[in-house]
Amino acid sequence: MPRAPIPPAPDAPARALVLSGGGARGAYQAGALAYMAEAVPQAQFSIYTGVSAGAINVAHLASVSEPMVRATHALKDCWRDLAASSVFHMRPLAELLGLSGSQPRPALFDTTPLRRYLETQLSCEGGRLMGLQRNLEAGRVRALALTTANYSSHQTVTWVQGCDIDDWERPNRVGRATCLTVDHVMASAAPPLLFPAVYIDGAWYGDGGLRLLGPLAPALHLGADALFVISTRYDRSEAEVAASFEQRYPTAAQMGGMIMNSVFLDVLEHDVATLERINDLVRACQAEEARELRAVRTFVLRPSVDIGQLASQYPLPFDGPLGWVLKRLAQRNGYRPDWLSMLTFAPAYVERLIEIGYADARAQHDEIVAFFGEPATA
């Protein structure tokens, strides 16, 4: 039987895993993490932070007591098993409009299947993440932080279990110590209008990417010295940007896609660039001037291909009248908005994302090894 991972040494760097959102694109992160663990078998994180699909991934990794290699491969297998029927089903039109006697709520999908799946995978008892609690008590994990959006206060709320730190208050974003449950995971991964909001402590919460201006901030608040960041956003080259120009008026699908990307994917890139500039400034300062500042080592992995547009090669897993509407939207003018990739839980697409994530991490083998300070493996 494999031994549980050894808790980090007290003087070891506080490494944090930071995962962004992206719905089905989260399979890319699973593939990348699988290679990372193979390249550096002793790799460990003491801090886990995530939003949306990234929240599901970090909740899984922070809740298992197996070595990182087995934990990441188990995560990869979870994604392979996660068919659309395990995530959601389309709500009947009568239910959406409140004609079935239920209260009308603006959510296209019922995510009860995802809740059941997570309760099983995260070893929940009464909704609590018991695997996380055991890892915290054993010192294998220092903290797990999941980010949500409060629909009433319009604040970004990061829920933290673990670190003995005070709650933080920043403009429009706060940190709150709590006992994490599957509700927090579901709320973080609930994009507005698509998935239903989740009721937590007297308020309704949704996808944490909605107003998340500092996706790296939770890890920094928790004392991270080094950030291992996996984005699901493809960074287009100047040539690709130039080739995308067209004369016709933009469609509603294109406009909606731009809004979705700016909300859920683009902010992380800006935050990484800001942190890198601050690191340069700290390093340039004299020791006396920078005594209250520290540089934070950051490694960022991004898709090498446009995984949003890649989804257009795979069928959308929707049925019924609303499914027909979404498919027509995807086919109109030969353009499928890449935000629909977040809902494309097609097995072939998920498998391809895992392969791309694994290959992208392998292409940066030396950088990954250097991040953990381990000797390179064959």
Side-chain angles (χ1 to χ4, degrees):
M1 177 179 292
R3 293 180 299 173
I6 300 172
D11 58 347
R15 298 189 183 96
L17 177 62
V18 180
L19 299 185
S20 67
R25 299 189 195 192
Y28 172 86
Q29 297 171 341
L33 288 166
Y35 181 81
M36 174 213 73
E38 291 178 10
V40 189
Q42 302 306 315
Q44 287 182 287
F45 298 102
S46 57
I47 298 169
Y48 293 84
T49 75
V51 60
S52 196
I56 294 176
N57 285 340
V58 294
H60 171 93
L61 294 175
S63 297
V64 297
S65 58
E66 297 179 323
M68 186 63 73
V69 171
R70 293 199 60 175
T72 55
H73 279 266
L75 177 63
K76 186 174 61 173
D77 290 340
C78 287
W79 277 98
R80 283 176 170 150
D81 295 339
L82 198 63
S85 59
S86 301
V87 181
F88 54 71
H89 61 254
M90 302 286 293
R91 296 177 64 199
L93 187 59
E95 185 178 313
L96 279 172
L97 299 177
L99 303 179
S100 61
S102 60
Q103 181 180 359
R105 288 177 177 171
L108 292 179
F109 302 100
D110 180 350
T111 54
T112 301
L114 177 60
R115 174 180 289 275
R116 292 173 181 158
Y117 186 82
L118 291 178
E119 286 174 344
T120 301
Q121 294 299 322
L122 300 179
S123 302
C124 294
E125 295 181 12
R128 295 180 58 187
L129 310 185
M130 299 308 298
L132 168 65
Q133 182 62 40
R134 288 190 288 270
N135 283 338
L136 290 169
E137 292 172 353
R140 291 188 289 265
V141 173
R142 181 178 175 185
L144 171 64
L146 306 178
T147 299
T148 62
N150 186 318
Y151 283 118
S152 298
S153 67
H154 299 175
Q155 289 180 311
T156 295
V157 181
T158 298
W159 305 91
V160 181
Q161 183 173 348
C163 279
D164 185 19
I165 67 167
D166 295 330
D167 294 347
W168 65 80
E169 302 274 352
R170 297 293 185 273
N172 293 320
R173 60 181 176 89
V174 298
R176 294 288 181 261
T178 191
C179 180
L180 290 171
T181 68
V182 71
D183 282 340
H184 296 94
V185 183
M186 291 290 295
S188 184
L193 303 180
L194 299 178
F195 289 5
V198 180
Y199 195 71
I200 302 173
D201 290 350
W204 291 97
Y205 290 85
D207 197 297
L210 280 174
R211 299 197 67 183
L212 183 57
L213 301 180
L216 304 182
L220 299 178
H221 279 295
L222 297 174
D225 301 311
L227 309 181
F228 193 100
V229 183
I230 306 180
S231 171
T232 60
R233 176 184 179 275
Y234 174 66
D235 191 12
R236 295 192 298 172
S237 66
E238 292 185 8
E240 289 173 311
V241 172
S244 66
F245 290 151
E246 54 184 46
Q247 296 298 318
R248 66 182 180 182
Y249 193 81
T251 65
Q254 288 173 298
M255 294 179 185
M258 186 171 182
I259 293 172
M260 293 288 283
N261 284 341
S262 65
V263 170
F264 296 109
L265 301 178
D266 294 348
V267 179
L268 176 64
E269 304 298 324
H270 172 76
D271 210 24
V272 168
T274 300
L275 179 60
E276 290 174 348
R277 287 196 296 270
I278 293 174
N279 281 339
D280 291 341
L281 178 62
V282 171
R283 296 186 186 105
C285 288
Q286 298 295 325
E288 182 64 21
E289 297 169 327
R291 63 183 181 276
E292 296 181 359
L293 302 174
R294 73 184 193 281
V296 178
R297 194 154 50 98
T298 307
F299 170 81
V300 183
L301 183 66
R302 303 177 179 88
S304 60
V305 299
D306 191 336
I307 59 177
Q309 284 304 303
L310 178 67
S312 63
Q313 301 176 18
Y314 301 90
L316 291 170
F318 309 134
D319 297 317
L322 288 175
W324 182 86
V325 171
L326 288 175
K327 289 176 182 178
R328 290 288 296 173
L329 175 66
Q331 296 168 355
R332 190 169 186 177
N333 297 323
Y335 173 81
R336 181 196 286 193
D338 67 0
W339 66 265
L340 281 175
S341 65
M342 301 180 186
L343 300 174
T344 307
F345 288 91
Y349 178 58
V350 168
E351 183 64 33
R352 184 69 184 121
L353 292 182
I354 291 173
E355 293 172 355
I356 294 171
Y358 188 92
D360 286 351
R362 182 171 56 190
Q364 297 197 47
H365 173 92
D366 292 345
E367 291 85 350
I368 291 174
V369 170
F371 177 86
F372 289 100
E374 297 284 345
T377 60

